[in-house]
Amino acid sequence: MIHLSNVSKTFQLKGQSLDAVKDVDLHIEKGEIFGVVGYSGAGKSTLVRLLNLLEKPTNGTVKIADYEMLKLSNRELKRARQEISMIFQHFNLLWSRTVRENIAFPLEIAGVSKAERYEKVAELAKLVGLEGREDSYPSQLSGGQKQRVGIARALANEPKVLLCDEATSALDPKTTNAILDLLHDINQRLGLTIVLITHEMNVIQKICSRVAVMEDGSVVEQGNVLEVFRHPQEEITKSFVKQLTDPEDSNQAIEEQLEQEKGTVVRLTFFGDDAEKPVVSELIRACNVTVNILQGNIANTQDGSYGSLFVSIEGDAAQLNEAIEFLQDHQVEAEVISRA
């Protein structure tokens, strides 16, 4: 569906070259929700603008559906862009127009009759949960409602691809979850291919099937979300994963445990169905050890759960070795953080 091959983008700024995107190769399947995550300045927003040629690549090829984007004439590019919609962090609504008029704007530009436009608007307003708010102005809406208008407007021309550039970054956590649920529902209903650009790993975790991690203009790691969670290769990926799996106060709890000089602190990592099993209680019975739970968290991805748990295990050396073997036999990764 979307193929990027050796795509680079270099900007010339005050006589100096800035490599914003470097030799990126990506393949995104039709109907997939694909995430691109990176910190500020990683190049992810530039990358998404290369997909619809809002920025033209310095090198490489971009193919979306049947379009070889760099070979299109201006007229062909305009037609292709009708199939590649985009939503933004700050909504980009027309503040002097109502919800109805904002959603209808792309159809107006396309020359669709007023009756057909408003029929389509009614359908889209219902789809995104804005039924009854069609005559409101953006200033009368919450942040989540504004983004719903942006999503409805992006769907007006029945695109094949939806690009989301930090679409939830301006929203509170509850509203973010609601918008992500809406995007997932739209993906399921319409079979839309969605590319999500974000700096928040919880956004990736919630609805993406695969992810690419960007740093300094390059894609440094990519793959199935659960597998990336399970075996992060790069330090930046590990830091993103820890945002979800290691609570902020876990280090404090571990330090307190070390000060008390009790037990051996072990970090347990669970994957898939194993995250839901009562492994700790089974461990206590099987190995006759005392287990004190310090901190833990479970993150759910589209392909299963990923859990992280810090525990203190009290017992002699033989019991500890038996406990570690027991955990490994039950497909639980066990990393000894500190020994008593």
Side-chain angles (χ1 to χ4, degrees):
M1 178 62 177
I2 300 176
H3 301 268
L4 276 67
S5 179
N6 299 116
V7 170
S8 299
K9 177 63 180 181
T10 300
F11 293 101
Q12 298 297 327
L13 301 173
K14 297 181 180 180
Q16 294 185 331
S17 295
L18 173 64
D19 297 324
V21 174
K22 306 172 187 175
D23 298 320
V24 168
D25 292 300
L26 283 181
H27 172 65
I28 301 172
E29 299 286 352
K30 181 179 180 181
E32 182 175 15
I33 303 181
F34 188 93
V36 179
V37 66
Y39 292 119
S40 179
K44 56 191 186 298
S45 291
T46 300
L47 178 67
V48 78
R49 291 169 65 87
L50 296 175
L51 296 180
N52 55 9
L53 292 199
L54 289 179
E55 295 287 353
K56 188 174 181 180
T58 306
N59 296 300
T61 59
V62 178
K63 185 176 181 180
I64 298 183
D66 296 323
Y67 298 108
E68 293 193 33
M69 301 295 289
L70 293 170
K71 295 182 179 180
L72 300 179
S73 65
N74 288 338
R75 178 178 295 182
E76 290 169 335
L77 180 58
K78 182 178 179 181
R79 184 167 63 249
R81 282 175 174 162
Q82 292 181 336
E83 299 182 15
I84 309 168
S85 285
M86 195 167 186
I87 58 175
F88 307 89
Q89 177 179 356
H90 297 296
F91 321 125
N92 288 16
L93 303 181
L94 300 169
W95 295 89
S96 62
R97 292 190 173 214
T98 64
V99 167
R100 177 182 289 106
E101 292 166 338
N102 266 281
I103 298 174
F105 187 61
L107 299 172
E108 183 181 334
I109 293 176
V112 177
S113 70
K114 185 174 182 178
E116 289 180 288
R117 292 201 305 267
Y118 282 14
E119 181 180 351
K120 184 67 174 179
V121 167
E123 174 188 329
L124 290 170
K126 183 177 181 179
L127 176 66
V128 301
L130 288 175
E131 197 171 18
R133 300 305 303 268
E134 292 90 343
D135 293 321
S136 299
Y137 285 89
S139 61
Q140 299 171 306
L141 303 177
S142 67
Q145 289 171 329
K146 291 171 187 172
Q147 194 57 282
R148 289 173 187 269
V149 176
I151 293 170
R153 181 182 59 187
L155 298 176
N157 282 321
E158 300 182 357
K160 295 178 180 178
V161 176
L162 180 62
L163 308 177
C164 307
D165 188 9
E166 297 280 10
T168 60
S169 294
L171 307 175
D172 61 76
K174 183 178 180 180
T175 305
T176 291
N177 283 332
I179 293 298
L180 293 176
D181 286 340
L182 174 60
L183 290 173
H184 185 263
D185 182 59
I186 288 170
N187 167 262
Q188 296 296 301
R189 289 193 190 193
L190 306 180
L192 200 62
T193 303
I194 298 178
V195 182
L196 269 175
I197 304 298
T198 184
H199 65 276
E200 300 171 302
M201 200 62 177
N202 66 300
V203 171
I204 300 295
Q205 164 249 322
K206 186 171 177 63
I207 67 170
C208 294
S209 56
R210 290 193 301 134
V211 62
V213 182
M214 289 195 72
E215 184 178 28
D216 194 26
S218 299
V219 171
V220 296
E221 192 164 349
Q222 61 177 301
N224 174 278
V225 171
L226 186 57
E227 285 304 309
V228 169
F229 271 42
R230 185 168 186 169
H231 298 296
Q233 301 299 309
E234 303 293 328
E235 287 303 316
I236 186 172
T237 311
K238 293 175 183 177
S239 73
F240 275 121
V241 171
K242 284 183 179 179
Q243 290 178 9
L244 297 176
T245 58
D246 293 358
E248 292 182 2
D249 55 352
S250 61
N251 289 336
Q252 180 181 349
I254 292 169
E255 288 173 4
E256 290 175 356
Q257 183 67 31
L258 291 175
E259 290 174 2
Q260 296 169 9
E261 296 184 355
K262 292 181 180 178
T264 295
V265 177
V266 181
R267 182 181 190 269
L268 310 181
T269 307
F270 308 79
F271 303 98
D273 294 338
D274 294 320
E276 311 295 336
K277 294 179 180 178
V279 176
V280 173
S281 59
E282 293 176 7
L283 170 67
I284 295 170
R285 289 195 298 269
C287 302
N288 193 29
V289 291
T290 298
V291 178
N292 181 28
I293 296 176
L294 304 179
Q295 292 285 353
N297 194 22
I298 292 180
N300 295 311
T301 75
Q302 290 299 304
D303 294 311
S305 300
Y306 177 99
S308 178
L309 186 67
F310 289 89
V311 301
S312 171
I313 302 177
E314 295 182 35
D316 59 32
Q319 288 174 313
L320 179 62
N321 290 334
E322 183 184 0
I324 298 297
E325 289 180 7
F326 176 90
L327 291 166
Q328 292 173 344
D329 289 342
H330 285 74
Q331 286 73 54
V332 177
E333 293 185 5
E335 176 188 0
V336 175
I337 304 299
S338 66
R339 293 183 181 271

